[in-house]
Amino acid sequence: MMRGLRRRMRRPPPLHQDPFDRMLVAQSLVEDLVLVTHDRCVLRYDCALLRA
């Protein structure tokens, strides 16, 4: 799983400068999870999101 997560972290466009938030986006994509956020930068990614 970590290998897939690292690969996904390199792929997402750098829409957000915070590496931890990019890791959360990558993990939500790899594990098919819904990411709950209020961060407008994270909302720009193409992953399953629930706006908080």
Side-chain angles (χ1 to χ4, degrees), residues 3-21:
R3 189 174 308 170
L5 183 56
R6 278 185 254 154
R7 199 174 322 125
R8 280 285 196 168
M9 283 181 67
R10 283 185 233 130
R11 272 192 211 153
L15 301 174
H16 199 316
Q17 298 304 313
D18 186 337
F20 185 75
D21 284 345

Side-chain angles (χ1 to χ4, degrees), residues 26-51:
Q27 186 170 9
S28 76
L29 291 167
V30 168
E31 297 186 22
D32 197 27
L33 302 172
V34 176
L35 184 60
V36 179
T37 186
H38 185 68
D39 189 329
R40 290 178 189 258
C41 292
V42 173
L43 293 171
R44 295 172 11 191
Y45 283 98
D46 187 28
C47 62
L49 293 168
L50 178 61
R51 190 172 183 164

